[in-house]
């Protein structure tokens, strides 16, 4: 039974009705077919990560909660995006959180940061940083760095925050402007909450600066700023749960710990899908790594994950 507390009865009813109805799709390319089942919208990230960009998506039918497990058990490779409390009925696959958090204990020294991430920081150390609480600087960041960068990286699947939401973060924190030769070329929007320093949003003026370490500099100066104000934790925010995800890998270079985000209300069930990912087992975060992705273990050696190595050909 699903229990939800302190919710409006009408809102609760709508949630329950939505979560018991599932759309079934077949995701296919030249080499594989995966049954994709969801009570929400199709997540294009999961589709691309598992099958690539050149896929065919065919809607098969609609099923209901009481049909879900039996139908899923009849499939070979299957992905189910569901309301988290329903996951208790699925125990012959892997339960993958859609997003995880990455945090850094601030007691790390500046010298250790450089040793951990030497390759990237060689470029980033040429930049300087200004701290700003000026709304005009925020507008410049939003219009010229954040929005264009998100659109370039994510294309049609880009989820861009409204300026009003960005301003709310700004009012609880500050903007770190990264400059080169007195020109601002990237920035990090941060939020301060007690002993926690959150690296919320970043962006870059031009794509050419990414290869020159401009975004690496936003993280580096964010960490230094957190140390300066005596924060204890630097929160790098959410990342996807696939070990090959660019954001997850980049943040891991700083020695971050990977943690479960307890606010995520959904879970993804995977079976017979051979991509390295983070999953939940016995209330712990673990990582499944297939032999052809074995090198990823070294990349996440400081993440706190337990590794499950499978020799699947």
């Amino acid at each position: 039974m699903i229990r939800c507390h302190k919710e409006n009865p009408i809102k609760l009813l709508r949630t329950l009705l939505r979560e018991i109805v599932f759309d079934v799709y077949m995701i296919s390319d030249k080499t594989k077919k995966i049954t994709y089942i969801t009570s929400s919208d199709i997540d294009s990230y999961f589709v691309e990560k598992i099958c690539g960009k050149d896929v065919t998506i065919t809607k098969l039918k609609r099923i209901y909660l009481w049909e879900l497990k039996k139908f899923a058990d009849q499939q070979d490779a299957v992905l189910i995006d569901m309301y988290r409390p329903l996951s208790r009925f699925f125990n012959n696959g892997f339960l993958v959180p859609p997003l995880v958090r990455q945090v850094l204990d601030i007691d790390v020294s500046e010298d250790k940061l450089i040793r951990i991430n030497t390759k990237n920081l060689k470029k980033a150390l040429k930049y300087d940083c200004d701290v700003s609480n000026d709304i005009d600087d925020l507008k410049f960041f939003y219009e010229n760095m954040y929005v264009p960068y998100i659109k370039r990286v994510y294309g049609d699947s880009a989820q861009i925050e409204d300026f009003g939401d960005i301003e709310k973060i700004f009012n609880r924190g500050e903007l770190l402007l990264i400059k080169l030769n007195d020109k601002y070329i990237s920035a990090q929007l941060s939020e301060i909450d007690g002993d926690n320093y959150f690296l919320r949003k970043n962006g870059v003026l031009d794509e050419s600066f990414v290869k020159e370490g401009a975004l690496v500099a936003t993280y580096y100066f964010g960490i230094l700023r957190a140390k300066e104000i005596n924060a204890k934790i630097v929160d790098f925010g959410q990342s996807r749960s696939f070990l090959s995800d660019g954001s997850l890998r980049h943040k891991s270079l700083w020695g971050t710990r990977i943690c479960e985000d307890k606010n995520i209300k959904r879970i993804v069930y995977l079976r017979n899908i051979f991509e390295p990912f983070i999953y939940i087992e016995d209330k712990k975060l673990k990582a499944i790594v297939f032999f052809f992705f074995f090198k990823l273990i070294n990349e996440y050696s400081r993440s706190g994950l337990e590794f499950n190595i499978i020799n699947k050909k």
Side-chain angles (χ1 to χ4, degrees), residues 91-268:
N91 53 17
N92 59 343
F94 297 93
L95 296 174
V96 177
L99 296 164
V100 292
R101 302 201 73 84
Q102 289 176 269
V103 300
L104 177 69
D105 297 319
I106 203 59
D107 58 0
V108 61
S109 68
E110 187 173 347
D111 289 340
K112 185 176 181 181
L113 280 177
I114 294 174
R115 289 198 305 272
I116 290 173
N117 205 359
T118 300
K119 183 178 180 180
N120 285 318
L121 278 177
K122 284 182 179 179
K123 295 180 178 179
L125 291 174
K126 64 186 178 185
Y127 298 102
D128 293 313
C129 177
D130 289 337
V131 180
S132 175
N133 295 105
D134 190 322
I135 190 65
D136 288 334
D137 287 336
L138 182 69
K139 291 177 181 177
F140 178 80
F141 161 71
Y142 183 81
E143 295 171 0
N144 298 283
M145 296 179 182
Y146 169 70
V147 172
Y149 172 67
I150 296 298
K151 286 183 177 179
R152 285 196 302 269
V153 173
Y154 297 101
D156 294 338
S157 62
Q159 296 181 355
I160 298 173
E161 298 271 2
D162 293 333
F163 181 78
D165 294 328
I166 292 293
E167 188 176 7
K168 289 177 182 177
I169 297 173
F170 181 67
N171 290 336
R172 297 190 295 267
E174 57 195 15
L175 186 66
L176 306 184
L177 292 161
I178 311 303
K179 64 182 180 180
L180 181 66
N181 299 326
D182 292 323
K183 179 182 179 180
Y184 294 131
I185 50 85
S186 64
Q188 176 72 249
L189 177 62
S190 302
E191 181 179 351
I192 303 168
D193 184 7
D195 292 331
N196 296 323
Y197 194 82
F198 294 86
L199 306 181
R200 290 298 192 194
K201 308 289 179 182
N202 62 9
V204 65
L205 191 63
D206 184 86
E207 189 68 25
S208 63
F209 291 114
V210 175
K211 294 181 180 180
E212 295 301 318
L215 288 179
V216 176
T218 66
Y219 290 106
Y220 177 63
F221 284 105
I223 294 169
L224 295 187
R225 176 61 176 166
K227 292 174 69 69
E228 183 181 349
I229 65 171
N230 297 317
K232 294 182 179 179
I233 295 290
V234 180
D235 191 313
F236 281 64
Q238 296 175 324
S239 300
R240 293 287 193 159
S241 300
F242 286 87
L243 298 187
S244 57
D245 179 75
S247 177
L248 189 80
R249 295 176 80 171
H250 176 75
K251 293 173 185 178
S252 73
L253 292 174
W254 299 98
T256 56
R257 290 182 290 107
I258 297 177
C259 310
E260 186 178 353
D261 191 329
K262 300 291 187 180
N263 294 319
I264 302 297
K265 296 181 179 181
R266 303 193 69 79
I267 199 80
V268 176

Side-chain angles (χ1 to χ4, degrees), residues 278-296:
I278 298 168
Y279 66 99
I280 301 172
E281 183 178 85
D282 298 327
K283 298 182 179 180
K284 296 180 180 179
L285 287 184
K286 301 182 179 181
I288 186 166
V289 180
F290 302 95
F291 80 102
F292 42 86
F293 291 106
F294 192 79
K295 66 179 182 179
L296 289 174

